[in-house]
Amino acid sequence: MLELMSGKLAVGIKNIVPDHPASYAVLKFSISVVLNVVFIIGLTLVVSLLTDRTGEALQILISFALLRQVSGGAHLKSGMACVFFTATLFTLLSYVEVSSEYVLLMNGISLLVVLWRAPIGIERQTRIPQRHWPKLKIIAALLVAANLLIGSPVIAASLLAQSISLLIARREVKSL
């Protein structure tokens, strides 16, 4: 569905602006990335409004996205699978209510995984030169460490889920 929509939008753009320097393939890919994000945010927020977990969902959307941008992670094969999986995951994470000891444990595990594996799987999604990737690791670690001060259970769960994505991405990289 995302592929079809992004393809139609890319054709429309090329028809309106045929001399645009971006190719059809580049436009289609870019549009699919934007649609993916819009659908994940939209679906997550709609469900959070229905479940009365909007504050938690917003914390998850922000914390997960920030860590993902600097640490990388696993990717699903299709855009719609990503949308449904991520919106479902974020909805489930919005219900996490644990003691401060478990928040500390989740933050600790996330920090260890980030320090060990980040960044991974970002080769095709960033223009940041590889020489700056150690800085991304530091930023990722600081993002996780920030929740040591905040102490949010849903942020800890979100960061842990994203950290697990780094372990899955490691397996994907090894199998290539």
Side-chain angles (χ1 to χ4, degrees):
M1 184 169 133
L2 280 176
E3 290 291 314
L4 181 65
M5 290 173 65
S6 58
K8 287 184 178 191
L9 288 169
V11 166
I13 291 170
K14 281 309 248 186
N15 286 339
I16 294 169
V17 189
D19 296 332
H20 192 280
S23 69
Y24 165 79
V26 169
L27 284 172
K28 182 180 176 188
F29 176 77
S30 300
I31 292 167
S32 71
V33 169
V34 170
L35 289 176
N36 186 282
V37 171
V38 168
F39 286 162
I40 288 171
I41 292 170
L43 185 56
T44 300
L45 289 177
V46 166
V47 173
S48 75
L49 287 169
L50 297 173
T51 60
D52 201 30
R53 306 299 275 187
T54 307
E56 293 85 351
L58 287 171
Q59 290 178 56
I60 292 163
L61 284 164
I62 292 167
S63 61
F64 191 95
L66 288 174
L67 185 57
R68 181 139 184 109
Q69 285 302 306
V70 296
S71 67
H75 294 277
L76 295 175
K77 300 287 185 214
S78 90
M80 287 311 294
C82 179
V83 168
F84 290 123
F85 176 81
T86 306
T88 301
L89 174 66
F90 289 177
T91 299
L92 293 173
L93 293 177
S94 73
Y95 284 94
V96 171
E97 294 179 11
V98 295
S99 69
S100 59
E101 290 82 14
Y102 282 107
V103 171
L104 186 62
L105 178 64
M106 287 188 285
N107 287 330
I109 292 168
S110 298
L111 186 58
L112 289 173
V113 172
V114 161
L115 289 171
W116 177 41
R117 295 308 314 157
I120 189 167
I122 63 170
E123 301 81 21
R124 294 172 287 164
Q125 72 185 41
T126 187
R127 299 177 83 173
I128 298 170
Q130 196 167 0
R131 69 179 182 274
H132 295 297
W133 289 7
K135 295 172 189 166
L136 295 178
K137 181 185 295 275
I138 293 167
I139 294 167
L142 290 172
L143 286 170
V144 174
N147 198 45
L148 293 170
L149 299 174
I150 298 167
S152 167
V154 294
I155 291 175
S158 170
L159 298 174
L160 182 60
Q162 171 51 28
S163 298
I164 291 168
S165 173
L166 302 178
L167 298 174
I168 295 168
R170 181 171 190 257
R171 224 179 23 208
E172 289 173 356
V173 170
K174 279 188 165 186
S175 67
L176 295 178

